Amino acid sequence: MRKFAGFEVCSIYDHSLFTKLGVHFFLWGGAIQFFGTKHHHDKWLRDTENYSIKGCFAMTELGHGSNVRGLETVTTYDSNTGEFVINTPCESAQKYWIGGAANHATHTVVFSQLRINGTNQGVHAFIVQIRDADGNICPNIRIVDCGHKIGLNGVDNGRIWFDNVRVPRENLLNSVADVSPDGKYLSSIENPDQRFAAFMAPLTVGRVNIAISSVYQSKVALATSIRYALTRRAFSLKQNEPEVLLLDYPSHQRRLFPLIAKTYAMSFAANYLKMLYVKRTPQSNKIIHIVSSSFKATFTWNNMQILQECREACGGQGLKTENRVGQLKGEYDVQSTFEGDNLILMQQVSKALFAEYMAAQKRNKVFKGLGLEHMNKPCPVIPLQLTSTTLRCSQFQMDALCLRERDLLNRFVADVSKCKAKGESNEQAFMMCYELAQDLGKAFSDRAIFQTFVDAETTLPAGSLKDVLGTLRSLYALICIEDVSFLQYGYLSVDNGANVRREITKLCTELRPHALALVSSFGIPDAFLGPIAFNWIEANAWSSV
Amino acid sequence: MRKFAGFEVCSIYDHSLFTKLGVHFFLWGGAIQFFGTKHHHDKWLRDTENYSIKGCFAMTELGHGSNVRGLETVTTYDSNTGEFVINTPCESAQKYWIGGAANHATHTVVFSQLRINGTNQGVHAFIVQIRDADGNICPNIRIVDCGHKIGLNGVDNGRIWFDNVRVPRENLLNSVADVSPDGKYLSSIENPDQRFAAFMAPLTVGRVNIAISSVYQSKVALATSIRYALTRRAFSLKQNEPEVLLLDYPSHQRRLFPLIAKTYAMSFAANYLKMLYVKRTPQSNKIIHIVSSSFKATFTWNNMQILQECREACGGQGLKTENRVGQLKGEYDVQSTFEGDNLILMQQVSKALFAEYMAAQKRNKVFKGLGLEHMNKPCPVIPLQLTSTTLRCSQFQMDALCLRERDLLNRFVADVSKCKAKGESNEQAFMMCYELAQDLGKAFSDRAIFQTFVDAETTLPAGSLKDVLGTLRSLYALICIEDVSFLQYGYLSVDNGANVRREITKLCTELRPHALALVSSFGIPDAFLGPIAFNWIEANAWSSV
């Protein structure tokens, strides 16, 4: 928990620093801890904590990113010398995007196929030293920089080739599988699918951290653009009247307040995710995988949407690097495709929900865990005419989100089963049903996030603070319900859709007096906001030149 | 037309060069030509063509961008010396974002309130020399750079303060109004609103150029990401089968082919807009204003969406600067807010359509010009059950787009009138109806763009080329009709919405064999595409380091 906190502060300050630290402590350090066993811990963890060695994480290759099982690096075992031999057999097998590799890392964890006596045992992880104490690249290793990127240039992403590099047998991180001195492959997990899953489970922390850092960038951008909109004026409505504050335009409120509600929702959900991770047990691996995948995708997409809206809401000022809002777009764009492409993560969420549905059928349709318990109850009913009171009721809001999740899961299962009945493989069936998979992932994520909002609200004593939070909660729920899926699949009538939009406008108006308090509560230090967040005229005065 | 063509080529090559040339030739040169009279033309145009003087365009101020009428720079006339005195009276009146001002420009057109004998005559334009032949800044003028931006750093945007700078009386660009040597204000246009409009009309060319350049960036990004998707593989569907090409995933087709259809549509529409501008007459000013505003907004929004999708579709490679796709995002982000914020432009379009509606009512509801003639006919009817044949019929597609435009215009007029009946001012009423204003602007734009697609298709002889273009035309129409507004306002039933989406998927599948030809037809030279557009493995091979 302390590590998360320190890490969060770094993430507000600088994305590259955050990423460099994350690679060293969470990926390299985490690999040693989770994939390794006691002798690895004893040998490497103290130096890792001290930063006297600098680790990186060589998983991705030029030809294989999201598809880790398809990695082409090959490792064999030489029982004569008791060494593993790691090799890059073709250009697409070069390690790519390895953060820290281009300049600073001294060691890396290499992910590679392990071939023992001609049998491929799948992906395993090995410790390899890549630089000596003087920073020289070790023999039989070639490294070059990945080149300039549109952001995150403070991270030295590198490409690595291994030319039959030899490492001692002990360098295999052997928590899941080992090779005996005479070259026998030993694993407590027989099934290669499960073995692979065991390898991937500890990587979840990367997704948790990315989700958390997204929330902070959204806060920086929103605090900057709301404060600007509270001082910047444009156009007067009548001759000789003063110009109108940007934030007094209903259109500007409609643009920014829903994003504040989203950011509050992401904050609560991020706290939930952190606790889920910190208190993890072997039993909670499944839900952590699903929640971290769906939150990582949702948060990072939200973050890019928020940054773009805020940049446009600041006009040209949003493009000045010193004002941060626009600059953060380039820095954080990577989030939607690294540590698992968002589209693929959402598909994994839907696949897991599919599996859960099938398992529930075997249990006589009882759902346990994953937040799907609502499916054990009768299907909620949306009232024919949605009044303002109903629209602001958290029970209605939850019902609407559960209704969508339930229906989309039923549709997804039906469509995938139909494809399979036609003779398609599992993967082909999922591939054909990609639209439902994405919609279902979103429905799961929205409902799970909303639950954390409701939980946070419940802890507050009655009073004006709870009232404002209730308004934000309604706004968050209604922008989820405004989503096109509610009309597309017929959960909302045209009239009720119009009622939802009207209520959103009213909620935005009600939040107008609280604008400054809402973004101040984000707690972003002044130094991390753009100068336009303060006195934008003073900041641009001749005296400041 | 020749100038447009040369300019288009520059826009593919480099956005900064394009902008620097645009500021000098179209804004500075255009101001001399359109706002000036013969003696200005004689004195300045030849040096402008030669580039022996370098012009810039000082309209925007720190405090006023889109609201040009609110500019705070003040000019008075001194009849004793026959000079105008130009002054920056406060910090918010400093000229801001003036392209070319920070380093290179020798002259500028200053937009300023003209105060004659205490009466403000509104915004006028004056020629001011800001640097001498040696590049030294002239007396009583202060200039500093606007600082680093997230893109377009090849343009030296500057800030300018004028400390009672004196220029001869002849430096007033006097096509619309003049001041006599003894200080009398003379104008052939009595109404200050009309005078202001006359000043703004020639600025349209900026919007025309921005719209055109957007189309090219979309082409670069799409050609790069489609070609990458034709060589990059990921995941196999069955064990021991080769991995699947990205473009063979239905989800990838669904992601990129609609963007190709959009880009074709924008191409045809851009050609229409160019001809409209080149063949302009005083009578066509209104339609040019509306079409250029709505196309500028639509094209630049589309462009940003296309660049973002393409960057994500290329995964991490989309972030490498050398691959261009991601880098273009930062370069072109400015387009949605410069030369008129897109939201404000769309509002202006709707205001103009509102005025046209009112004028038509006076003419017994007959619409003439602006493409609204369809409103003179009975309202089209959407069939209850949309078959594949109907969905691909251009008459149905046009009917659907006209139906939406007509209904939204009726709604907008009704809502604005309701607000005014309650005593709100014109501007207040438009402000309250901002959502309808945006929806209507989009409906106008989609219909107008679609018309140009249909016209282009008509010119082709029957054959396979026409067939493919027809498929693209249907895809473009259906992604317009898939827009949430068709469900929101009830133009499409839930079932028909599903039919539209199903047809879009089918159209994407049909276009798959033509993918390479479609992006090759964009005609972007290879040198302007990212290396991943070609052999992305070769480009990353060790031998290329």
Side-chain angles (χ1 to χ4, degrees), chain B residues 265-340:
Chain B
M266 291 196 289
S267 263
F268 297 131
N271 287 338
Y272 162 75
L273 177 59
K274 274 179 260 179
M275 292 315 295
L276 201 62
Y277 182 77
V278 169
K279 296 183 176 171
R280 67 192 176 282
T281 63
Q283 289 71 43
S284 65
N285 269 346
K286 200 198 293 179
I287 187 162
I288 293 180
H289 171 68
I290 298 178
V291 171
S292 67
S293 299
S294 66
F295 282 13
K296 184 266 190 184
T298 306
F299 286 18
T300 57
W301 274 326
N302 281 348
N303 185 38
M304 282 306 286
Q305 181 217 354
I306 290 170
L307 294 177
Q308 184 69 35
E309 272 309 332
C310 287
R311 124 68 191 129
E312 292 181 30
C314 292
Q317 293 289 340
L319 298 165
K320 287 187 73 164
T321 303
E322 66 174 21
N323 286 326
R324 300 206 71 198
V325 182
Q327 187 258 341
L328 291 174
K329 289 195 324 139
E331 273 303 299
Y332 285 86
D333 199 6
V334 64
Q335 289 190 321
S336 57
T337 52
F338 79 172
E339 306 258 343

Side-chain angles (χ1 to χ4, degrees), chain A residues 61-68 70 91-92 94 96-97 142-151 153 159 161 228 232-238 243-244 248-252 254-255 301 304 308 311-313 315-322 326-327 329-330 333-338 341 343-344 423-425 427-428 431-432 434-435 482-484 487-490 492 494 498 501 505 536-537 539-545, chain B residues 61-68 70 91-92 94 96-97 142-151 153 159 161 228 232-238 243-244 248-252 254-255 301 304 308 311-313 315-322 326-327 329-330 333-338 341 343-344 423-425 427-428 431-432 434-435 482-484 487-490 492 494 498 501 505 536-537 539-545:
Chain A
E61 296 174 358
L62 173 62
H64 292 86
S66 291
N67 180 11
V68 176
E91 286 295 353
S92 57
Q94 65 182 270
Y96 210 95
W97 294 126
R142 289 172 288 164
I143 300 179
V144 292
D145 195 285
C146 284
H148 192 268
K149 301 148 285 182
I150 67 165
N153 282 302
R159 299 152 61 187
W161 291 256
Y228 181 60
R232 166 86 194 201
R233 294 171 181 274
F235 293 99
S236 41
L237 297 177
K238 289 181 182 163
E243 291 180 283
V244 180
D248 284 332
Y249 281 96
S251 53
H252 217 72
R254 183 67 173 80
R255 189 175 199 179
W301 274 326
M304 282 306 286
Q308 185 68 34
R311 124 69 190 129
E312 291 180 30
Q317 293 288 340
L319 297 165
K320 289 187 71 164
T321 303
E322 67 174 21
Q327 187 259 340
K329 289 195 323 137
D333 198 6
V334 63
Q335 289 191 321
S336 58
T337 52
F338 80 172
D341 180 287
L343 293 172
I344 293 176
E424 308 278 15
S425 72
E427 290 307 314
Q428 273 170 321
M431 181 181 85
M432 301 307 293
Y434 64 92
E435 281 191 287
E482 192 200 12
D483 182 73
V484 63
L487 294 166
Q488 251 175 22
Y489 294 106
L492 271 195
V494 170
R501 294 199 301 283
T505 307
W536 58 275
I537 295 182
N540 281 290
W542 173 252
S543 56
S544 76
V545 171
Chain B
E61 296 174 357
L62 173 62
H64 292 85
S66 292
N67 180 11
V68 176
E91 287 295 354
S92 57
Q94 65 183 267
Y96 210 95
W97 294 127
R142 288 172 288 164
I143 300 180
V144 291
D145 195 284
C146 285
H148 192 268
K149 301 148 284 181
I150 66 166
N153 282 300
R159 300 152 60 187
W161 291 257
Y228 181 60
R232 167 85 192 202
R233 295 171 181 274
F235 294 99
S236 41
L237 296 176
K238 289 180 181 164
E243 291 181 282
V244 180
D248 284 333
Y249 281 96
S251 52
H252 216 72
R254 182 67 173 79
R255 189 176 200 178
W301 274 326
M304 282 306 286
Q308 184 69 35
R311 124 68 191 129
E312 292 181 30
Q317 293 289 340
L319 298 165
K320 287 187 73 164
T321 303
E322 66 174 21
Q327 187 258 341
K329 289 195 324 139
D333 199 6
V334 64
Q335 289 190 321
S336 57
T337 52
F338 79 172
D341 180 287
L343 292 173
I344 293 176
E424 308 277 14
S425 72
E427 290 306 315
Q428 273 169 321
M431 182 180 84
M432 302 305 293
Y434 64 93
E435 280 190 288
E482 192 200 13
D483 183 71
V484 64
L487 294 165
Q488 250 176 23
Y489 295 106
L492 271 195
V494 170
R501 294 199 300 283
T505 307
W536 59 275
I537 295 183
N540 280 289
W542 173 253
S543 56
S544 76
V545 171

Side-chain angles (χ1 to χ4, degrees), chain B residues 103-270:
Chain B
N103 287 333
H104 299 128
T106 57
H107 292 73
T108 190
V109 177
V110 179
F111 289 80
S112 162
Q113 305 291 346
L114 173 59
R115 200 170 286 158
I116 297 291
N117 297 325
T119 305
N120 185 12
Q121 299 291 354
V123 172
H124 290 69
F126 305 85
I127 294 174
V128 180
Q129 181 164 3
I130 56 175
R131 281 192 178 82
D132 65 22
D134 299 329
N136 303 309
I137 296 172
C138 296
N140 300 322
I141 291 176
R142 288 172 288 164
I143 300 180
V144 291
D145 195 284
C146 285
H148 192 268
K149 301 148 284 181
I150 66 166
L152 213 55
N153 282 300
V155 176
D156 50 327
N157 294 98
R159 300 152 60 187
I160 315 177
W161 291 257
F162 299 97
D163 298 334
N164 291 310
V165 172
R166 289 181 166 259
V167 298
R169 192 181 65 91
E170 293 72 31
N171 283 22
L172 169 65
L173 292 170
N174 61 347
S175 71
V176 168
D178 209 348
V179 173
S180 67
D182 60 341
K184 281 212 190 66
Y185 183 75
L186 312 159
S187 175
S188 54
I189 309 178
E190 286 262 321
N191 183 325
D193 285 358
Q194 285 174 13
R195 213 151 60 209
F196 180 72
F199 255 117
M200 294 300 107
L203 295 179
T204 308
V205 66
R207 288 196 288 274
V208 175
N209 276 322
I210 291 171
I212 295 171
S213 81
S214 289
V215 184
Y216 279 97
Q217 304 323 310
S218 295
K219 288 178 177 176
V220 169
L222 273 168
T224 302
S225 51
I226 287 277
R227 295 176 70 117
Y228 181 60
L230 283 167
T231 52
R232 167 85 192 202
R233 295 171 181 274
F235 294 99
S236 41
L237 296 176
K238 289 180 181 164
Q239 256 196 323
N240 303 322
E241 271 192 1
E243 291 181 282
V244 180
L245 272 182
L246 289 191
L247 204 58
D248 284 333
Y249 281 96
S251 52
H252 216 72
Q253 295 167 10
R254 182 67 173 79
R255 189 176 200 178
L256 295 180
F257 286 131
L259 305 180
I260 295 181
K262 265 192 189 175
T263 303
Y264 265 79
M266 291 196 289
S267 263
F268 297 131

Side-chain angles (χ1 to χ4, degrees), chain A residues 146-165:
Chain A
C146 284
H148 192 268
K149 301 148 285 182
I150 67 165
L152 213 56
N153 282 302
V155 176
D156 50 327
N157 294 96
R159 299 152 61 187
I160 314 177
W161 291 256
F162 300 96
D163 298 335
N164 292 311
V165 172

